Amino acid sequence: MKLLFFVTFAVYAAAVALEFTGTAFRKEKLLKAAWIVFLAAFALHTVFFVARGVAAKRLPLSNQFEFASGFACGAALLSIVLCGRGKADWLKVAALPAVLLIMTYAALQPMEIRDLMPALRSAWFGVHIGSAVLAYAAFVIAGCIGARYLVFSKRQEPDKKALDQMDFLSYRLVSFGFLFLTVVILSGAIWAEQAWSSFWSWDPKEVWALITWIIYAVYLHMRLRSGRKGKKMAWFLVIAVFLVFFTFAGVNTLMHGMHTYG
């Protein structure tokens, strides 16, 4: 199982190396090879995810290693969908390293398969954790698009059509992620009441999930009510990604709470 994970990690790393080299030297063949290698890495990742679930006899998202691996897999899937159907090739150079970064964090976590804690043995487990994977993945890819927007906008003659596509696509991703983060918070509250007899206990993970929800609610408000677009909103998304990573990893590392196992 560990061998399969690290082979997957190595293939992701190879894809990133090819993408950077192809972009730096403007070699179309290397860029095509990078995408093929990335697709192969995602296929291996999917096999690992399924094999881990079969071995654990549950959805493999119960601890920090499994969630990080699932997070990376979700980000890779969104990247493939967007680059494949949306023809957003400009996203690859930002999204591929983001996936590798999440995989690197996963590789640093304990990989042992453990039984679910009693509090996690609930029908809400898949809804709550699965929604968190999709929400975080959408926010990270939106941040990647924001970063590419900022790079594109600095060109002497930027492609306005491409910039508009990036701006709209990042907005759609935030809307998607915001919906699933709402599901995370609501399902978590219901689950917490069943497990701990309290809908809200001000656990650090709960608080930072709510802060993340508020930040992206502000983004959507600025976008829909004030009509703000462009560089400022791109910067907003890039900065917000750091909040997502802190909610995902920093809280577990620096703050002890009922979600420390997650």
Side-chain angles (χ1 to χ4, degrees), residues 40-196:
F42 176 73
L44 288 171
H45 201 164
T46 302
V47 171
F48 169 79
F49 189 80
V50 173
R52 177 93 178 185
V54 172
K57 299 180 181 179
R58 55 170 170 75
L59 187 65
L61 294 171
S62 70
N63 55 48
Q64 198 71 346
F65 164 72
E66 292 177 349
F67 186 88
S69 177
F71 181 9
C73 195
L77 177 60
L78 280 180
S79 301
I80 291 169
V81 171
L82 293 175
C83 293
R85 299 189 64 178
K87 298 181 179 180
D89 289 343
W90 41 263
L91 174 61
K92 296 174 182 176
V93 73
L96 270 62
V99 173
L100 182 62
L101 176 63
I102 302 167
M103 285 290 285
T104 301
Y105 176 79
L108 298 175
Q109 305 306 307
M111 299 184 187
E112 292 79 9
I113 296 176
R114 299 174 182 173
D115 292 335
L116 283 177
M117 295 179 64
L120 294 179
R121 295 169 188 168
S122 168
W124 290 105
F125 175 73
V127 176
H128 183 69
I129 308 299
S131 296
V133 166
L134 293 174
Y136 289 175
F139 292 148
V140 166
I141 299 302
C144 291
I145 294 175
R148 290 298 290 155
Y149 184 101
L150 294 172
V151 172
F152 263 56
S153 64
K154 289 184 178 180
R155 293 182 175 181
Q156 291 183 348
E157 297 181 0
D159 186 342
K160 189 176 184 304
K161 184 178 179 181
L163 289 175
D164 288 342
Q165 182 191 19
M166 293 179 197
D167 186 80
F168 182 70
L169 189 55
S170 61
Y171 157 67
R172 293 289 296 273
L173 280 168
V174 169
S175 300
F176 177 85
F178 185 78
L179 171 63
F180 278 97
L181 186 57
T182 303
V183 173
V184 170
I185 293 173
L186 292 177
S187 62
I190 297 171
W191 188 4
E193 196 281 330
Q194 294 178 352
W196 302 312

